[in-house]
Coordinates of all heavy atoms in Angstrom, one line a residue:
M1 N 156.8 39.4 -112.5 CA 156.6 38.7 -113.8 C 156.8 37.2 -113.6 O 156.1 36.4 -114.3 CB 157.7 39.1 -114.8 CG 157.3 39.9 -115.9 SD 155.7 40.1 -116.5 CE 156.0 40.2 -118.2
S2 N 157.6 36.8 -112.7 CA 157.8 35.3 -112.5 C 156.6 34.7 -112.0 O 156.3 33.5 -112.2 CB 159.0 35.1 -111.6 OG 158.7 35.4 -110.2
V3 N 155.7 35.4 -111.2 CA 154.5 34.8 -110.7 C 153.5 34.5 -111.9 O 152.9 33.5 -111.9 CB 153.8 35.8 -109.7 CG1 152.5 35.3 -109.3 CG2 154.7 35.9 -108.4
I4 N 153.5 35.5 -112.8 CA 152.6 35.3 -114.0 C 153.2 34.2 -114.8 O 152.4 33.4 -115.3 CB 152.6 36.6 -114.8 CG1 151.8 37.7 -113.9 CG2 151.8 36.4 -116.1 CD1 151.8 39.1 -114.6
A5 N 154.5 34.0 -114.9 CA 155.1 33.0 -115.7 C 154.7 31.6 -115.1 O 154.4 30.6 -115.8 CB 156.6 33.2 -115.9
E6 N 154.8 31.6 -113.8 CA 154.4 30.3 -113.1 C 153.0 29.9 -113.3 O 152.6 28.8 -113.5 CB 154.7 30.4 -111.6 CG 156.2 30.4 -111.2 CD 156.4 30.6 -109.7 OE1 155.5 30.3 -108.9 OE2 157.5 31.0 -109.4
I7 N 152.1 30.9 -113.2 CA 150.7 30.7 -113.4 C 150.4 30.2 -114.9 O 149.7 29.3 -115.1 CB 149.9 32.0 -113.1 CG1 149.9 32.3 -111.6 CG2 148.4 31.8 -113.6 CD1 149.3 33.6 -111.3
I8 N 151.1 30.8 -115.8 CA 151.0 30.4 -117.2 C 151.5 29.0 -117.4 O 150.9 28.2 -118.1 CB 151.7 31.4 -118.2 CG1 150.9 32.8 -118.1 CG2 151.8 30.9 -119.6 CD1 151.6 33.9 -118.9
D9 N 152.6 28.7 -116.8 CA 153.2 27.3 -116.9 C 152.2 26.3 -116.3 O 152.0 25.2 -116.8 CB 154.5 27.2 -116.2 CG 155.7 27.8 -117.0 OD1 155.5 28.1 -118.2 OD2 156.7 28.1 -116.4
T10 N 151.7 26.7 -115.1 CA 150.7 25.8 -114.5 C 149.5 25.6 -115.3 O 149.0 24.4 -115.5 CB 150.3 26.3 -113.1 OG1 151.5 26.6 -112.3 CG2 149.4 25.4 -112.4
L11 N 149.0 26.7 -115.9 CA 147.8 26.6 -116.8 C 148.1 25.7 -118.0 O 147.3 24.9 -118.4 CB 147.4 28.0 -117.2 CG 146.3 28.6 -116.4 CD1 146.1 30.1 -116.8 CD2 145.0 27.9 -116.6
E12 N 149.3 25.9 -118.6 CA 149.7 25.2 -119.8 C 149.8 23.7 -119.4 O 149.3 22.9 -120.2 CB 151.1 25.7 -120.3 CG 151.5 25.1 -121.6 CD 152.8 25.7 -122.1 OE1 153.0 26.9 -121.9 OE2 153.6 25.0 -122.7
N13 N 150.4 23.3 -118.3 CA 150.4 21.9 -117.9 C 149.1 21.3 -117.7 O 148.8 20.2 -118.1 CB 151.3 21.8 -116.6 CG 152.7 22.0 -116.8 OD1 153.2 21.9 -117.9 ND2 153.4 22.4 -115.8
K14 N 148.2 22.1 -117.1 CA 146.8 21.6 -116.9 C 146.1 21.4 -118.2 O 145.3 20.4 -118.4 CB 146.0 22.5 -116.0 CG 146.5 22.5 -114.5 CD 145.6 23.4 -113.7 CE 146.1 23.3 -112.2 NZ 145.2 24.1 -111.3
V15 N 146.3 22.3 -119.2 CA 145.6 22.2 -120.5 C 146.2 21.0 -121.2 O 145.4 20.2 -121.8 CB 145.9 23.5 -121.3 CG1 145.5 23.3 -122.8 CG2 145.1 24.6 -120.7
V16 N 147.5 20.8 -121.1 CA 148.1 19.6 -121.8 C 147.5 18.3 -121.2 O 147.2 17.4 -121.9 CB 149.6 19.6 -121.6 CG1 150.2 18.3 -122.0 CG2 150.2 20.7 -122.5
K17 N 147.4 18.3 -119.8 CA 146.8 17.1 -119.2 C 145.4 16.9 -119.6 O 144.9 15.8 -119.8 CB 146.9 17.2 -117.6 CG 148.3 17.1 -117.1 CD 148.3 17.2 -115.6 CE 149.7 17.1 -115.0 NZ 149.7 17.3 -113.6
L18 N 144.6 18.0 -119.7 CA 143.2 17.9 -120.1 C 143.1 17.4 -121.6 O 142.3 16.5 -121.9 CB 142.5 19.2 -120.0 CG 142.1 19.6 -118.6 CD1 141.5 21.0 -118.6 CD2 141.1 18.7 -118.0
V19 N 144.0 17.8 -122.4 CA 144.0 17.4 -123.8 C 144.3 15.9 -123.9 O 143.6 15.1 -124.6 CB 145.0 18.2 -124.7 CG1 145.2 17.5 -126.0 CG2 144.5 19.6 -124.8
L20 N 145.2 15.4 -123.1 CA 145.6 14.0 -123.0 C 144.4 13.2 -122.5 O 144.1 12.1 -123.0 CB 146.8 13.8 -122.1 CG 148.2 14.2 -122.8 CD1 149.3 14.1 -121.7 CD2 148.5 13.4 -124.0
K21 N 143.7 13.7 -121.5 CA 142.6 13.0 -120.9 C 141.5 12.9 -122.0 O 140.8 11.8 -122.1 CB 142.0 13.7 -119.7 CG 142.8 13.4 -118.4 CD 142.1 14.0 -117.2 CE 142.8 13.7 -116.0 NZ 142.2 14.2 -114.8
I22 N 141.3 14.0 -122.7 CA 140.2 14.0 -123.8 C 140.6 12.9 -124.8 O 139.7 12.2 -125.3 CB 140.1 15.4 -124.4 CG1 139.4 16.3 -123.4 CG2 139.3 15.3 -125.7 CD1 139.4 17.8 -123.8
Q23 N 141.9 12.9 -125.2 CA 142.3 11.9 -126.2 C 142.1 10.5 -125.7 O 141.6 9.6 -126.5 CB 143.7 12.1 -126.6 CG 144.0 13.4 -127.4 CD 145.4 13.7 -127.7 OE1 146.3 13.1 -127.0 NE2 145.7 14.6 -128.6
N24 N 142.4 10.2 -124.5 CA 142.2 8.9 -123.9 C 140.7 8.5 -123.9 O 140.4 7.4 -124.2 CB 142.8 8.8 -122.5 CG 144.3 8.8 -122.5 OD1 144.9 8.4 -123.5 ND2 144.9 9.2 -121.4
L25 N 139.9 9.5 -123.5 CA 138.5 9.2 -123.4 C 137.9 9.0 -124.8 O 137.0 8.1 -125.0 CB 137.7 10.4 -122.7 CG 137.9 10.5 -121.2 CD1 137.3 11.8 -120.7 CD2 137.4 9.3 -120.5
E26 N 138.4 9.7 -125.8 CA 137.9 9.5 -127.2 C 138.3 8.1 -127.7 O 137.5 7.4 -128.3 CB 138.5 10.5 -128.1 CG 137.8 11.9 -128.0 CD 138.4 13.0 -128.8 OE1 139.6 12.8 -129.3 OE2 137.8 14.0 -128.9
Q27 N 139.5 7.7 -127.3 CA 140.0 6.3 -127.7 C 139.1 5.3 -127.0 O 138.7 4.3 -127.6 CB 141.5 6.1 -127.3 CG 142.0 4.8 -127.8 CD 143.5 4.6 -127.4 OE1 144.1 5.5 -126.8 NE2 144.1 3.5 -127.8
K28 N 138.9 5.4 -125.7 CA 138.0 4.5 -125.0 C 136.6 4.4 -125.6 O 136.0 3.4 -125.7 CB 138.0 4.8 -123.5 CG 139.2 4.5 -122.8 CD 139.1 4.8 -121.3 CE 140.4 4.4 -120.6 NZ 140.3 4.6 -119.1
T29 N 136.1 5.6 -126.0 CA 134.8 5.7 -126.6 C 134.8 4.9 -127.8 O 133.8 4.1 -128.1 CB 134.4 7.1 -126.8 OG1 134.4 7.8 -125.6 CG2 133.0 7.2 -127.5
Q30 N 135.8 5.0 -128.7 CA 135.9 4.2 -129.9 C 135.9 2.7 -129.6 O 135.3 1.9 -130.3 CB 137.0 4.7 -130.8 CG 136.9 6.0 -131.4 CD 138.1 6.5 -132.1 OE1 139.2 5.9 -132.0 NE2 138.0 7.6 -132.8
E31 N 136.7 2.4 -128.6 CA 136.8 0.9 -128.3 C 135.5 0.4 -127.8 O 135.1 -0.7 -128.2 CB 137.9 0.8 -127.2 CG 139.3 1.0 -127.7 CD 140.3 1.0 -126.5 OE1 139.9 0.8 -125.4 OE2 141.5 1.2 -126.8
L32 N 134.8 1.2 -127.0 CA 133.5 0.8 -126.5 C 132.5 0.7 -127.6 O 131.6 -0.2 -127.6 CB 133.0 1.7 -125.4 CG 133.7 1.6 -124.1 CD1 133.3 2.8 -123.2 CD2 133.5 0.3 -123.4
Q33 N 132.6 1.5 -128.6 CA 131.7 1.5 -129.8 C 131.9 0.2 -130.6 O 131.0 -0.5 -131.0 CB 131.8 2.7 -130.6 CG 131.2 3.9 -130.0 CD 131.4 5.2 -130.9 OE1 132.3 5.2 -131.7 NE2 130.6 6.2 -130.6
V34 N 133.2 -0.2 -130.7 CA 133.5 -1.4 -131.4 C 133.0 -2.6 -130.7 O 132.4 -3.5 -131.2 CB 135.1 -1.5 -131.6 CG1 135.5 -2.9 -132.1 CG2 135.5 -0.5 -132.6
D35 N 133.2 -2.6 -129.3 CA 132.7 -3.7 -128.5 C 131.1 -3.8 -128.6 O 130.6 -4.8 -128.7 CB 133.1 -3.5 -127.0 CG 134.6 -3.8 -126.8 OD1 135.2 -4.4 -127.7 OD2 135.1 -3.4 -125.7
L36 N 130.5 -2.6 -128.6 CA 129.0 -2.6 -128.7 C 128.6 -3.2 -130.0 O 127.6 -3.9 -130.1 CB 128.5 -1.1 -128.5 CG 127.0 -0.9 -128.6 CD1 126.4 -1.7 -127.4 CD2 126.7 0.5 -128.5
T37 N 129.2 -2.8 -131.1 CA 128.9 -3.3 -132.4 C 129.1 -4.9 -132.5 O 128.2 -5.6 -133.0 CB 129.8 -2.7 -133.5 OG1 129.6 -1.3 -133.4 CG2 129.4 -3.2 -134.9
K38 N 130.2 -5.3 -131.9 CA 130.4 -6.8 -131.8 C 129.3 -7.5 -131.0 O 128.8 -8.5 -131.4 CB 131.8 -7.1 -131.3 CG 132.9 -6.8 -132.2 CD 134.3 -7.1 -131.5 CE 135.4 -6.7 -132.4 NZ 136.7 -7.0 -131.7
S39 N 129.0 -6.9 -129.9 CA 127.9 -7.5 -129.0 C 126.6 -7.5 -129.8 O 125.8 -8.5 -129.7 CB 127.8 -6.7 -127.7 OG 129.0 -6.8 -127.0
A40 N 126.3 -6.4 -130.5 CA 125.0 -6.4 -131.2 C 125.0 -7.5 -132.3 O 124.0 -8.1 -132.5 CB 124.8 -5.0 -131.9
Q41 N 126.1 -7.7 -133.0 CA 126.2 -8.8 -134.0 C 126.0 -10.2 -133.3 O 125.3 -11.0 -133.9 CB 127.5 -8.7 -134.7 CG 127.6 -7.5 -135.7 CD 129.0 -7.4 -136.3 OE1 130.0 -8.0 -135.8 NE2 129.1 -6.6 -137.3
I42 N 126.6 -10.4 -132.2 CA 126.5 -11.6 -131.5 C 125.1 -11.9 -131.1 O 124.5 -13.0 -131.2 CB 127.4 -11.7 -130.2 CG1 128.9 -11.8 -130.7 CG2 127.1 -12.8 -129.3 CD1 129.9 -11.6 -129.6
I43 N 124.4 -10.8 -130.5 CA 123.0 -10.9 -130.1 C 122.1 -11.3 -131.3 O 121.3 -12.1 -131.2 CB 122.5 -9.6 -129.5 CG1 123.2 -9.5 -128.1 CG2 121.0 -9.6 -129.3 CD1 123.0 -8.2 -127.4
Q44 N 122.4 -10.6 -132.5 CA 121.6 -10.9 -133.7 C 121.8 -12.3 -134.1 O 120.8 -13.0 -134.5 CB 122.0 -9.9 -134.8 CG 121.1 -10.0 -136.0 CD 119.6 -9.7 -135.7 OE1 119.3 -8.8 -134.9 NE2 118.7 -10.5 -136.3
T45 N 123.0 -12.8 -134.1 CA 123.3 -14.2 -134.5 C 122.6 -15.2 -133.5 O 122.0 -16.2 -134.0 CB 124.8 -14.5 -134.4 OG1 125.5 -13.5 -135.3 CG2 125.1 -15.9 -134.8
Q46 N 122.6 -14.9 -132.2 CA 122.0 -15.7 -131.3 C 120.4 -15.7 -131.4 O 119.8 -16.8 -131.3 CB 122.4 -15.3 -129.8 CG 123.8 -15.7 -129.5 CD 124.2 -15.2 -128.2 OE1 123.6 -14.3 -127.6 NE2 125.3 -15.7 -127.6
L47 N 119.9 -14.6 -131.7 CA 118.4 -14.5 -132.0 C 118.0 -15.3 -133.2 O 117.0 -16.0 -133.2 CB 118.0 -13.0 -132.1 CG 118.0 -12.2 -130.9 CD1 117.7 -10.7 -131.2 CD2 117.0 -12.7 -129.9
T48 N 118.8 -15.2 -134.2 CA 118.6 -16.0 -135.4 C 118.6 -17.5 -135.1 O 117.8 -18.3 -135.5 CB 119.6 -15.7 -136.5 OG1 119.5 -14.3 -136.8 CG2 119.3 -16.5 -137.8
E49 N 119.6 -17.9 -134.3 CA 119.8 -19.3 -133.9 C 118.6 -19.7 -133.0 O 118.1 -20.9 -133.2 CB 121.1 -19.5 -133.2 CG 121.4 -20.9 -132.8 CD 122.8 -21.1 -132.2 OE1 123.6 -20.1 -132.2 OE2 123.0 -22.1 -131.6
I50 N 118.2 -18.9 -132.2 CA 117.0 -19.2 -131.3 C 115.8 -19.5 -132.1 O 115.0 -20.4 -131.9 CB 116.8 -18.1 -130.2 CG1 117.9 -18.2 -129.2 CG2 115.4 -18.2 -129.6 CD1 117.9 -17.0 -128.2
E51 N 115.6 -18.6 -133.1 CA 114.4 -18.8 -134.0 C 114.5 -20.1 -134.7 O 113.5 -20.8 -134.9 CB 114.2 -17.6 -134.9 CG 113.8 -16.3 -134.3 CD 112.5 -16.4 -133.5 OE1 111.6 -17.0 -134.1 OE2 112.4 -15.9 -132.4
A52 N 115.6 -20.4 -135.2 CA 115.8 -21.7 -136.0 C 115.6 -22.9 -135.0 O 114.9 -23.8 -135.4 CB 117.2 -21.7 -136.6
L53 N 116.1 -22.8 -133.8 CA 115.9 -23.9 -132.9 C 114.4 -24.0 -132.5 O 113.9 -25.1 -132.3 CB 116.7 -23.6 -131.6 CG 118.2 -23.8 -131.8 CD1 119.0 -23.4 -130.6 CD2 118.5 -25.3 -132.2
K54 N 113.7 -22.9 -132.4 CA 112.3 -22.9 -132.0 C 111.5 -23.6 -133.2 O 110.6 -24.4 -132.9 CB 111.7 -21.5 -131.8 CG 112.0 -20.9 -130.5 CD 111.4 -19.5 -130.4 CE 111.7 -18.9 -129.1 NZ 111.2 -17.5 -129.0
A55 N 111.8 -23.3 -134.4 CA 111.2 -23.9 -135.5 C 111.5 -25.4 -135.6 O 110.6 -26.2 -135.8 CB 111.6 -23.2 -136.9
Q56 N 112.7 -25.7 -135.3 CA 113.1 -27.2 -135.3 C 112.4 -27.9 -134.1 O 111.9 -29.0 -134.3 CB 114.6 -27.3 -135.1 CG 115.1 -28.7 -135.2 CD 116.6 -28.8 -135.0 OE1 117.3 -27.8 -134.7 NE2 117.2 -29.9 -135.3
Y57 N 112.2 -27.2 -133.0 CA 111.5 -27.8 -131.9 C 110.1 -28.1 -132.2 O 109.5 -29.2 -131.9 CB 111.6 -26.9 -130.7 CG 110.7 -27.3 -129.5 CD1 111.1 -28.5 -128.8 CD2 109.6 -26.6 -129.2 CE1 110.3 -28.9 -127.7 CE2 108.8 -27.1 -128.1 CZ 109.1 -28.2 -127.4 OH 108.4 -28.6 -126.4
E58 N 109.4 -27.1 -132.9 CA 108.0 -27.3 -133.3 C 107.9 -28.5 -134.3 O 107.0 -29.3 -134.2 CB 107.5 -26.0 -133.9 CG 107.2 -24.9 -132.9 CD 106.2 -25.3 -131.8 OE1 105.2 -25.9 -132.2 OE2 106.5 -25.0 -130.6
T59 N 108.8 -28.5 -135.2 CA 108.8 -29.6 -136.2 C 109.0 -31.0 -135.5 O 108.3 -31.9 -135.8 CB 109.9 -29.4 -137.2 OG1 109.8 -28.2 -137.8 CG2 109.9 -30.5 -138.3
L60 N 109.9 -31.0 -134.6 CA 110.1 -32.3 -133.8 C 108.9 -32.6 -133.0 O 108.5 -33.8 -132.8 CB 111.3 -32.2 -132.9 CG 112.7 -32.2 -133.7 CD1 113.8 -31.8 -132.7 CD2 112.9 -33.5 -134.3
K61 N 108.2 -31.6 -132.4 CA 107.0 -31.9 -131.6 C 105.9 -32.5 -132.5 O 105.3 -33.5 -132.1 CB 106.6 -30.5 -131.0 CG 105.9 -30.6 -129.7 CD 105.8 -29.3 -128.9 CE 104.9 -28.4 -129.6 NZ 104.6 -27.2 -128.8
I62 N 105.8 -31.9 -133.7 CA 104.7 -32.5 -134.6 C 105.1 -33.9 -135.0 O 104.2 -34.8 -135.1 CB 104.5 -31.5 -135.8 CG1 103.9 -30.2 -135.3 CG2 103.7 -32.1 -136.9 CD1 103.9 -29.1 -136.3
A63 N 106.3 -34.1 -135.4 CA 106.8 -35.4 -135.8 C 106.6 -36.4 -134.7 O 106.2 -37.5 -134.9 CB 108.2 -35.3 -136.3
N64 N 106.9 -36.0 -133.5 CA 106.7 -36.9 -132.4 C 105.3 -37.3 -132.1 O 104.9 -38.4 -131.9 CB 107.3 -36.2 -131.1 CG 107.4 -37.2 -129.9 OD1 107.5 -38.4 -130.1 ND2 107.3 -36.7 -128.7
S65 N 104.4 -36.3 -132.3 CA 103.0 -36.6 -132.1 C 102.4 -37.5 -133.3 O 101.5 -38.3 -133.1 CB 102.1 -35.4 -132.0 OG 102.2 -34.6 -133.1
L66 N 103.0 -37.3 -134.5 CA 102.6 -38.2 -135.6 C 103.0 -39.6 -135.4 O 102.4 -40.5 -135.9 CB 103.1 -37.6 -136.9 CG 102.5 -36.3 -137.4 CD1 103.2 -35.8 -138.6 CD2 101.0 -36.5 -137.7
L67 N 104.1 -39.8 -134.6 CA 104.6 -41.1 -134.4 C 103.8 -41.8 -133.3 O 104.1 -43.0 -133.0 CB 106.1 -41.1 -134.0 CG 107.0 -40.6 -135.2 CD1 108.4 -40.5 -134.6 CD2 107.0 -41.7 -136.3
G68 N 102.8 -41.2 -132.7 CA 102.0 -41.9 -131.8 C 102.1 -41.3 -130.4 O 101.4 -41.8 -129.5
S69 N 102.8 -40.2 -130.1 CA 102.9 -39.6 -128.8 C 101.6 -38.9 -128.5 O 101.0 -38.2 -129.4 CB 104.0 -38.7 -128.7 OG 104.0 -38.0 -127.5
D70 N 101.0 -39.1 -127.3 CA 99.8 -38.4 -126.9 C 100.0 -37.0 -126.4 O 99.0 -36.3 -126.2 CB 99.1 -39.3 -125.9 CG 98.6 -40.6 -126.4 OD1 98.3 -40.7 -127.6 OD2 98.4 -41.6 -125.6
D71 N 101.2 -36.6 -126.2 CA 101.5 -35.3 -125.6 C 101.0 -34.2 -126.4 O 100.4 -33.2 -125.9 CB 103.0 -35.2 -125.3 CG 103.5 -36.1 -124.3 OD1 102.7 -36.7 -123.5 OD2 104.7 -36.4 -124.3
N72 N 101.2 -34.2 -127.7 CA 101.0 -33.0 -128.6 C 99.9 -33.3 -129.7 O 100.0 -32.7 -130.7 CB 102.3 -32.6 -129.2 CG 103.3 -32.2 -128.2 OD1 103.0 -31.5 -127.2 ND2 104.5 -32.7 -128.4
K73 N 99.0 -34.3 -129.4 CA 98.1 -34.7 -130.5 C 97.2 -33.5 -130.9 O 96.9 -33.3 -132.0 CB 97.2 -35.8 -130.0 CG 97.7 -37.2 -130.3 CD 96.7 -38.2 -130.1 CE 97.3 -39.5 -130.6 NZ 96.4 -40.7 -130.3
R74 N 96.7 -32.7 -129.9 CA 95.8 -31.6 -130.2 C 96.5 -30.6 -131.1 O 95.9 -30.1 -132.1 CB 95.4 -30.9 -128.9 CG 94.4 -29.8 -129.1 CD 94.0 -29.2 -127.8 NE 93.0 -28.2 -127.9 CZ 93.2 -27.0 -128.3 NH1 94.4 -26.6 -128.5 NH2 92.2 -26.1 -128.4
D75 N 97.8 -30.2 -130.8 CA 98.5 -29.3 -131.6 C 98.7 -29.8 -133.0 O 98.6 -29.1 -134.0 CB 99.9 -29.0 -131.0 CG 99.8 -28.2 -129.6 OD1 98.7 -27.6 -129.4 OD2 100.7 -28.3 -128.9
T76 N 99.0 -31.1 -133.1 CA 99.2 -31.7 -134.4 C 97.9 -31.6 -135.2 O 97.9 -31.3 -136.4 CB 99.7 -33.1 -134.3 OG1 100.9 -33.1 -133.5 CG2 100.0 -33.7 -135.6
K77 N 96.8 -32.0 -134.6 CA 95.5 -31.9 -135.3 C 95.2 -30.5 -135.8 O 94.7 -30.3 -136.9 CB 94.4 -32.4 -134.4 CG 94.4 -33.9 -134.2 CD 93.3 -34.4 -133.3 CE 93.3 -35.9 -133.0 NZ 92.2 -36.3 -132.1
L78 N 95.5 -29.5 -134.9 CA 95.2 -28.1 -135.3 C 96.1 -27.7 -136.5 O 95.7 -27.0 -137.4 CB 95.5 -27.2 -134.1 CG 94.5 -27.3 -133.0 CD1 94.9 -26.4 -131.8 CD2 93.1 -26.9 -133.4
K79 N 97.3 -28.2 -136.5 CA 98.3 -27.8 -137.5 C 97.8 -28.5 -138.8 O 97.8 -27.9 -139.9 CB 99.7 -28.3 -137.2 CG 100.7 -27.9 -138.2 CD 101.0 -26.5 -138.2 CE 102.1 -26.1 -139.1 NZ 102.3 -24.7 -139.3
I80 N 97.4 -29.8 -138.8 CA 96.9 -30.5 -140.0 C 95.7 -29.8 -140.5 O 95.6 -29.6 -141.7 CB 96.7 -32.0 -139.6 CG1 98.0 -32.7 -139.4 CG2 95.9 -32.6 -140.8 CD1 97.9 -34.1 -138.9
N81 N 94.8 -29.4 -139.6 CA 93.6 -28.7 -140.1 C 93.9 -27.4 -140.7 O 93.3 -27.0 -141.7 CB 92.6 -28.5 -138.9 CG 91.9 -29.8 -138.5 OD1 91.8 -30.7 -139.3 ND2 91.5 -29.8 -137.2
S82 N 94.9 -26.7 -140.2 CA 95.3 -25.4 -140.8 C 95.9 -25.7 -142.2 O 95.6 -24.9 -143.1 CB 96.3 -24.8 -139.9 OG 96.9 -23.7 -140.5
L83 N 96.7 -26.7 -142.3 CA 97.3 -27.0 -143.6 C 96.2 -27.4 -144.6 O 96.3 -27.0 -145.8 CB 98.3 -28.1 -143.4 CG 99.6 -27.8 -142.7 CD1 100.4 -29.0 -142.5 CD2 100.4 -26.7 -143.5
I84 N 95.2 -28.2 -144.2 CA 94.1 -28.6 -145.1 C 93.4 -27.3 -145.5 O 93.0 -27.2 -146.7 CB 93.2 -29.6 -144.4 CG1 93.9 -30.9 -144.2 CG2 91.9 -29.8 -145.1 CD1 93.2 -31.9 -143.4
R85 N 93.1 -26.4 -144.6 CA 92.4 -25.2 -145.0 C 93.2 -24.4 -146.0 O 92.6 -23.8 -147.0 CB 92.1 -24.3 -143.8 CG 90.8 -24.7 -143.1 CD 90.5 -23.7 -142.0 NE 90.7 -24.4 -140.7 CZ 91.6 -24.1 -139.8 NH1 92.3 -23.1 -139.9 NH2 91.8 -24.9 -138.7
E86 N 94.5 -24.3 -145.8 CA 95.4 -23.6 -146.8 C 95.3 -24.3 -148.1 O 95.3 -23.6 -149.2 CB 96.8 -23.5 -146.2 CG 97.0 -22.6 -145.1 CD 98.4 -22.5 -144.7 OE1 99.4 -22.7 -145.5 OE2 98.7 -22.3 -143.5
I87 N 95.4 -25.6 -148.2 CA 95.3 -26.4 -149.4 C 94.0 -26.1 -150.1 O 93.9 -25.9 -151.3 CB 95.6 -27.9 -149.2 CG1 97.1 -28.1 -148.7 CG2 95.3 -28.7 -150.4 CD1 97.4 -29.5 -148.3
D88 N 92.9 -26.2 -149.3 CA 91.6 -25.9 -149.9 C 91.5 -24.5 -150.5 O 90.9 -24.3 -151.6 CB 90.5 -26.1 -148.8 CG 90.2 -27.6 -148.5 OD1 90.6 -28.4 -149.3 OD2 89.6 -27.8 -147.4
Y89 N 92.0 -23.6 -149.8 CA 92.0 -22.2 -150.3 C 92.8 -22.1 -151.6 O 92.4 -21.5 -152.6 CB 92.6 -21.2 -149.3 CG 92.7 -19.8 -149.7 CD1 91.6 -19.0 -149.8 CD2 93.9 -19.3 -150.1 CE1 91.7 -17.7 -150.2 CE2 94.0 -18.0 -150.5 CZ 92.9 -17.2 -150.6 OH 93.0 -15.9 -151.0
C90 N 94.0 -22.8 -151.7 CA 94.8 -22.7 -152.9 C 94.0 -23.4 -154.1 O 94.0 -22.9 -155.2 CB 96.1 -23.4 -152.7 SG 97.2 -22.5 -151.6
I91 N 93.4 -24.5 -153.8 CA 92.6 -25.2 -154.8 C 91.5 -24.3 -155.3 O 91.2 -24.2 -156.5 CB 92.0 -26.5 -154.3 CG1 93.2 -27.5 -154.1 CG2 91.0 -27.1 -155.2 CD1 92.8 -28.8 -153.4
A92 N 90.8 -23.6 -154.4 CA 89.7 -22.7 -154.8 C 90.2 -21.6 -155.6 O 89.6 -21.2 -156.6 CB 89.0 -22.2 -153.5
Q93 N 91.4 -21.1 -155.3 CA 92.0 -20.0 -156.1 C 92.4 -20.5 -157.5 O 92.2 -19.8 -158.5 CB 93.3 -19.5 -155.4 CG 93.0 -18.7 -154.1 CD 92.2 -17.4 -154.4 OE1 92.5 -16.7 -155.4 NE2 91.3 -17.1 -153.5
L94 N 92.9 -21.7 -157.6 CA 93.2 -22.3 -158.9 C 92.0 -22.6 -159.7 O 92.0 -22.5 -161.0 CB 94.1 -23.5 -158.7 CG 95.5 -23.3 -158.1 CD1 96.1 -24.7 -157.9 CD2 96.3 -22.5 -159.1
S95 N 90.9 -22.9 -159.1 CA 89.7 -23.2 -159.8 C 89.0 -22.0 -160.5 O 88.4 -22.1 -161.5 CB 88.6 -23.9 -158.8 OG 89.1 -25.1 -158.3
D96 N 89.3 -20.9 -159.9 CA 88.7 -19.6 -160.4 C 89.3 -19.2 -161.7 O 89.9 -19.2 -162.5 CB 88.8 -18.5 -159.4 CG 87.9 -18.7 -158.2 OD1 86.9 -19.5 -158.3 OD2 88.1 -18.1 -157.2

């Protein structure tokens, strides 16, 4: 009987160790999920900031070309033509 008792004790110890490992892994999983959520929020914030900076860059590029820079004249002319077309379209809509 003592052999069976030793086997049962060994099995019980192994089960307890496995339960502790499972609990540790679940805790680590939760921590990783929190980290992942924080990282996703940081990425979203950075993407928003990048888009704002791109828009600001385009605005500065157009303003620079309007001030006489030859670098972006073509882009500025295209943008102005696009704005004129939009204004003409709005006027046509209002006229109807």
Side-chain angles (χ1 to χ4, degrees):
M1 250 342 213
S2 72
V3 172
I4 294 176
E6 286 179 23
I7 293 174
I8 291 174
D9 283 344
T10 305
L11 264 171
E12 188 177 322
N13 287 337
K14 288 183 179 181
V15 168
V16 167
K17 286 180 182 178
L18 283 174
V19 168
L20 287 174
K21 280 186 178 182
I22 289 172
Q23 289 173 346
N24 285 338
L25 288 173
E26 287 175 346
Q27 183 181 3
K28 284 184 180 181
T29 301
Q30 289 176 350
E31 290 171 0
L32 288 172
Q33 286 176 341
V34 168
D35 288 345
L36 181 63
T37 303
K38 287 179 183 178
S39 296
Q41 290 173 346
I42 289 170
I43 288 171
Q44 187 61 38
T45 303
Q46 289 175 342
L47 287 174
T48 304
E49 186 177 342
I50 287 171
E51 290 302 316
L53 289 172
K54 282 182 183 178
Q56 186 179 10
Y57 172 72
E58 288 300 319
T59 303
L60 288 173
K61 212 164 68 169
I62 290 171
N64 190 26
S65 63
L66 288 175
L67 291 174
S69 173
D70 291 335
D71 295 339
N72 303 313
K73 268 192 177 176
R74 181 176 186 280
D75 292 339
T76 305
K77 286 180 183 179
L78 292 175
K79 183 69 174 174
I80 290 172
N81 287 338
S82 171
L83 291 172
I84 290 172
R85 273 187 255 117
E86 286 182 32
I87 292 170
D88 287 342
Y89 177 76
C90 290
I91 290 171
Q93 292 293 321
L94 291 173
S95 296
D96 292 339

